[in-house]
């Protein structure tokens, strides 16, 4: 059986024809090699697999305690493999057509409310750890533009517009969008840039200053995704220490916070969708749900009979669990 052959052919197609990003291609590779291994171990030829066989793969993942979201991602990758086979006359049907995704309990994203974000964004100056000027600019940039962490680390100087108040970036799937920086973010970037130049010069990497990464390490190198996660984690720990609030703050929280604040301010969800670079409106609409949950809590706290709503909301949560 040529399990690896068919998967390898499809992955080559994704890389050469679809032009997927490295991270997306890695995800497809992981998913499909997992499926290929399952087929090999159960003596299944993927080109002749039935819905029953794919269901067995899903059951196997569940047995391994894979998260529902991971199972659905792998199933989506397998669906894509069979769609490609059909288009290339490798088989006539898609065994995944009648299979449904595993149900996922939709968790509300972790967000900082307006007053909480104001306190968090002050931390680089107040606590004076790591690199305050860079970190203030980094947090403001992520928050004010709603950037994904991958978009932040790939933000180069030549992507900034002349006034440094906007940039054109590439998001998921190579889709371009224009993002905007608040006045505070613009001021923080302007304060950081001289220090950035000094660090690059001290590291003997002056050439990078023209078109290189906006956010760099103390060694003058482009920050990595793990590096940004580590920086935010340090400030999250500081925030808990200062405020006593133990929210799960991570780089994506700043993106969630950006979207939630726009919705709270009455921004049309479709506009937020465009600013976030979401392919589906349903992805953006969950931020409206975050707002509704907060309204429920405010009502429950302020209204004389509000405890009944709070109890009802709690019961709903327990039921979903």
């Amino acid at each position: 059986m040529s399990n690896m052959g068919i998967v390898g052919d499809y992955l080559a197609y994704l890389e050469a024809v679809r032009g997927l990003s490295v991270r997306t291609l890695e995800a497809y590779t992981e998913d499909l090699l997992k499926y290929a291994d399952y087929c090999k171990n159960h003596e299944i030829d993927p080109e002749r697999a039935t819905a029953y066989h794919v269901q067995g793969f899903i059951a196997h993942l569940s047995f391994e305690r894979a998260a529902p979201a991971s199972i659905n991602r792998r199933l989506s990758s397998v669906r894509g493999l069979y769609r490609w086979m059909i288009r290339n006359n490798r088989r006539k049907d898609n065994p995944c057509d009648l299979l449904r995704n595993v149900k996922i309990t939709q968790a509300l994203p972790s967000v900082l409310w307006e007053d909480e974000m104001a306190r968090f964004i002050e931390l680089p100056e107040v606590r004076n750890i790591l690199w305050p000027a860079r970190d203030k600019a980094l947090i403001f940039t992520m928050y004010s533009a709603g950037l994904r962490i991958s978009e932040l680390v790939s933000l180069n100087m030549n992507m900034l517009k002349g006034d440094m108040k906007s940039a054109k970036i590439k998001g998921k799937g190579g889709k371009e969008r224009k993002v905007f920086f608040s006045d505070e973010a613009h001021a923080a970037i302007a304060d950081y840039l001289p220090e950035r130049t000094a660090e690059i010069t001290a590291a003997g990497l002056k050439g990078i200053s023209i078109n290189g990464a906006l956010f760099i390490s103390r060694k003058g190198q482009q920050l990595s995704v793990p590096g940004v996660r580590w920086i935010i984690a340090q400030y999250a720990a500081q925030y808990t220490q200062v405020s006593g609030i133990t929210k799960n703050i991570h780089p994506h929280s700043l993106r969630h916070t950006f979207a939630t604040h726009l919705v709270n301010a009455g921004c049309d969800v479709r506009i937020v969708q465009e600013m976030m670079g979401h392919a589906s409106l349903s992805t953006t609409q969950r931020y409206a749900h975050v707002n509704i949950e907060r309204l429920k809590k405010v009502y429950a706290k302020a209204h004389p009979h509000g405890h009944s709503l709070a109890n009802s909301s709690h019961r709903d949560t327990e039921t979903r669990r």
Side-chain angles (χ1 to χ4, degrees):
M1 288 182 292
S2 56
N3 296 22
M4 293 300 294
I6 192 69
V7 169
D9 291 347
Y10 178 54
L11 291 173
Y13 158 78
L14 291 178
E15 182 176 17
V17 180
R18 292 278 301 278
L20 300 182
S21 69
V22 173
R23 290 175 65 85
T24 302
L25 192 62
E26 286 175 351
Y28 271 104
T29 302
E30 179 187 345
D31 296 342
L32 292 171
L33 290 183
K34 188 83 173 176
Y35 180 59
D37 286 343
Y38 173 82
C39 288
K40 181 179 180 180
N41 292 336
H42 291 79
E43 298 184 346
I44 300 166
D45 184 345
E47 293 192 54
R48 294 177 174 80
T50 65
Y52 174 79
H53 294 134
V54 182
Q55 276 183 319
F57 175 58
I58 295 171
H60 172 73
L61 295 174
S62 297
F63 180 77
E64 289 187 334
R65 297 177 180 265
S70 296
I71 294 174
N72 290 340
R73 193 192 75 181
R74 296 192 195 284
L75 180 56
S76 176
S77 297
V78 174
R79 282 195 185 102
L81 170 67
Y82 285 113
R83 282 196 297 268
W84 173 80
M85 284 191 199
I86 292 169
R87 286 197 300 271
N88 287 273
N89 299 316
R90 305 288 283 263
R91 62 180 293 153
K92 294 181 179 180
D93 65 313
N94 190 328
C96 303
D97 280 347
L98 298 179
L99 301 181
R100 295 183 179 180
N101 282 355
V102 177
K103 188 173 182 180
I104 299 176
T105 300
Q106 189 68 34
L108 294 175
S110 174
V111 299
L112 293 168
W113 303 116
E114 284 81 351
D115 56 332
E116 294 171 343
M117 188 66 212
R119 294 179 70 179
F120 184 77
I121 217 160
E122 291 175 350
L123 287 175
E125 288 182 324
V126 173
R127 306 303 283 184
N128 194 32
I129 63 171
L130 307 181
W131 185 350
R134 178 202 62 189
D135 301 340
K136 181 180 179 181
L138 184 151
I139 293 170
F140 259 124
T141 299
M142 285 196 81
Y143 165 61
S144 72
L147 297 181
R148 298 179 177 93
I149 188 171
S150 57
E151 295 167 348
L152 179 85
V153 299
S154 60
L155 184 60
N156 291 340
M157 292 295 295
N158 63 348
M159 296 165 69
L160 297 173
K161 299 302 178 183
D163 58 3
M164 290 191 300
K165 290 188 176 182
S166 64
K168 183 172 282 189
I169 63 169
K170 279 191 176 182
K172 280 188 175 180
K175 293 181 180 177
E176 285 192 346
R177 76 180 190 278
K178 189 172 184 179
V179 298
F180 302 92
F181 308 129
S182 65
D183 290 341
E184 293 90 345
H186 170 256
I189 292 172
D191 289 341
Y192 156 66
L193 286 179
E195 295 188 23
R196 173 186 176 276
T197 300
E199 290 292 337
I200 290 171
T201 302
L205 301 169
K206 193 171 183 180
I208 198 175
S209 63
I210 300 174
N211 293 323
L214 172 60
F215 294 108
I216 60 171
S217 68
R218 285 288 194 182
K219 295 180 179 180
Q221 302 287 348
Q222 177 183 12
L223 281 177
S224 65
V225 168
V228 173
R229 287 201 181 103
W230 184 83
I231 290 168
I232 298 299
Q234 305 314 300
Y235 287 106
Q238 294 286 322
Y239 183 73
T240 298
Q241 184 179 334
V242 170
S243 68
I245 296 174
T246 56
K247 287 191 173 182
N248 180 23
I249 303 172
H250 47 82
H252 218 61
S253 299
L254 304 183
R255 180 169 157 85
H256 290 320
T257 298
F258 161 80
T260 303
H261 290 181
L262 287 177
V263 172
N264 286 352
C267 187
D268 185 277
V269 176
R270 292 192 180 277
I271 299 297
V272 179
Q273 177 191 7
E274 188 172 337
M275 290 183 176
M276 295 284 282
H278 285 155
S280 170
L281 183 61
S282 62
T283 306
T284 315
Q285 285 174 329
R286 62 181 172 164
Y287 297 105
H289 299 160
V290 173
N291 194 29
I292 290 169
E293 288 300 316
R294 192 187 190 198
L295 289 174
K296 283 183 179 179
K297 290 178 181 178
V298 171
Y299 177 86
K301 186 176 181 180
H303 195 280
H305 299 156
H307 64 278
S308 62
L309 178 64
N311 292 336
S312 172
S313 179
H314 177 71
R315 284 195 301 272
D316 290 344
T317 302
E318 291 298 321
T319 301
R320 287 195 297 272
R321 287 177 182 168

